[in-house]
Amino acid sequence: MPASDSDLPALFLQRLEQMIPEESLGTCMASFSEIRPTSFRVNTLKSESSKLLLELQQLGLDVRPVKWMSGAFTLGDHGQRRRLTESPAFREGRLYIQGLASMLAPLLLDPKPGETVLDLAAAPGGKTLQIAAMMKNQGTLSAVESVKGRFFRLRANLALHGATMVKCYLMDGRAVGGKVPERFDRVLLDAPCSSEARFHVSKPESWLRWNIKKVRESARKQVRLLDSAVKSLRVGGRLVYCTCAFSPEENEEVIHRTLKRYPDKLVVDAIRLPISGVQNGIEAWSGNAYDPQVSQALRVLPTAEISGFFLCQMTKVSEGS
């Protein structure tokens, strides 16, 4: 029998029903069985959209522009992904395959050429590369990764795609804030998480080991990473926190705990995303009310085109740690 969303952990599904608006729940549940279109970005450090698009079309690829992001495309035919990955453009690093939700975080961060920017949990490097392209390889971009194998993959990706301004550091991100306090203009923390938005019914390995204990373990690490990110950010700087988890423990609660630790030092910014299908941050969970600012965060609701994602943007408004 084919797999269905009911094969996912029962507790996960119960919790999801409490998080997702009723009118969006059916689409969300169906998304765990969907095969999403392959999406990718033109690497503007090595190519131009018009030239690359023509090259891919000449290979017979059905390439469709993403309406809300210049230089981003999807394949109209699921069966063409292999042809894309075997293309000279892919092998030479002139494009990067990346999920659409993942592209949103650098857009919010909005890095500028010449700035000093930190990617605190960088591997495999998709967002780092996007940031480097937005900065036009001008300025300082520090990429931190704590796992050795992922670190070398990150470094190889950056080299292939021509991100020459990036400095890579193999270290625990939780230590960065103490080593370089108030150093960075902008900080991105795409925090390691339970990866709930990547669950797929056809891939039991994506969800078989999920449980609440692991969600809470992830949340403990996320709080410490975000604490490091706050310390590393200069006054007036922008911080973007994101995960591919649904659990409030890993999202709104992490923001709430950080605001409580740094009263009057952080402001959660109101944000707008260039897509529909978003939900404001959850204001309470399991009987616990969160700081009202948490509702300024946004949840991307999963569909057949885009995976679920959580995004929160903050500004550091005063000194101290």
Side-chain angles (χ1 to χ4, degrees), residues 1-308:
M1 294 179 61
S4 68
D5 58 48
S6 61
D7 293 315
L8 297 173
L11 180 57
F12 170 71
L13 295 175
Q14 292 168 14
R15 285 162 55 88
L16 208 60
E17 290 176 357
Q18 299 174 49
M19 302 174 209
I20 306 296
E22 185 177 354
E23 64 272 16
S24 302
L25 188 58
T27 301
C28 173
M29 293 298 191
S31 73
F32 296 112
S33 302
E34 300 279 2
I35 301 176
R36 294 189 178 91
T38 296
S39 53
F40 63 93
R41 288 184 299 100
V42 176
N43 177 17
T44 54
L45 297 177
K46 299 184 77 171
S47 187
E48 298 176 6
S49 292
S50 58
K51 292 181 179 179
L52 184 63
L53 182 59
L54 179 60
E55 178 183 341
L56 296 178
Q57 289 173 335
Q58 288 174 341
L59 292 174
L61 292 168
D62 180 10
V63 180
R64 304 179 181 185
V66 175
K67 294 180 180 180
W68 50 267
M69 182 171 168
S70 176
F73 300 89
T74 60
L75 290 180
D77 184 344
H78 292 301
Q80 292 187 338
R81 181 184 175 97
R82 181 172 179 178
R83 194 185 306 178
L84 179 67
T85 60
E86 292 177 346
S87 69
F90 178 82
R91 293 197 306 268
E92 295 164 9
R94 290 184 281 119
L95 65 84
Y96 189 87
I97 295 176
Q98 185 176 356
L100 293 177
S102 175
M103 299 180 193
L104 293 167
L107 292 183
L108 278 185
L109 192 68
D110 194 25
K112 308 297 185 185
E115 290 185 329
T116 300
V117 180
L118 170 65
D119 188 346
L120 194 55
K127 297 179 187 67
T128 318
L129 289 167
Q130 188 176 344
I131 292 168
M134 293 172 75
M135 295 176 71
K136 300 180 180 179
N137 256 343
Q138 299 172 24
T140 301
L141 175 52
S142 299
V144 174
E145 176 55 46
S146 63
V147 180
K148 185 175 291 187
R150 289 172 57 82
F151 171 81
F152 288 115
R153 183 182 175 194
L154 165 68
R155 200 163 64 173
N157 269 333
L158 296 173
L160 173 64
H161 293 82
T164 56
M165 50 94 77
V166 184
K167 297 181 180 179
C168 297
Y169 299 90
L170 177 60
M171 64 179 296
D172 190 330
R174 292 171 289 189
V176 172
K179 293 181 179 295
V180 285
E182 301 192 343
R183 171 75 60 87
F184 298 96
D185 299 308
R186 301 176 196 257
V187 178
L188 172 64
L189 173 55
D190 178 17
C193 67
S194 61
S195 301
E196 293 164 334
R198 296 177 184 166
F199 289 1
H200 198 277
V201 295
S202 69
K203 299 177 180 178
E205 67 275 10
S206 68
W207 47 265
L208 274 178
R209 293 182 176 84
W210 179 91
N211 57 52
I212 290 299
K213 181 180 178 181
K214 291 195 173 183
V215 166
R216 291 170 178 158
E217 287 174 353
S218 292
R220 284 193 288 271
K221 294 176 183 177
Q222 291 155 353
V223 167
R224 292 185 63 190
L225 281 167
L226 186 52
D227 182 70
S228 180
V230 172
K231 290 177 179 176
S232 71
L233 187 68
R234 69 167 178 79
V235 175
R238 176 178 295 183
L239 192 162
V240 172
Y241 174 86
C242 58
T243 77
C244 58
F246 293 103
S247 291
E249 293 91 340
E250 301 182 66
N251 295 321
E252 289 90 350
E253 189 166 321
V254 171
I255 304 302
H256 168 78
R257 291 173 64 182
T258 302
L259 292 173
K260 190 173 181 179
R261 178 162 186 171
Y262 294 101
D264 304 321
K265 290 183 172 61
L266 290 173
V267 172
V268 178
D269 303 319
I271 56 178
R272 296 182 66 182
L273 297 179
I275 60 172
S276 58
V278 297
Q279 170 191 3
N280 285 104
I282 292 172
E283 298 180 7
W285 183 254
S286 295
N288 297 316
Y290 297 141
D291 187 299
Q293 291 192 75
V294 168
S295 65
Q296 301 274 40
L298 290 179
R299 288 168 166 256
V300 176
L301 300 175
T303 67
E305 287 76 39
I306 193 168
S307 59

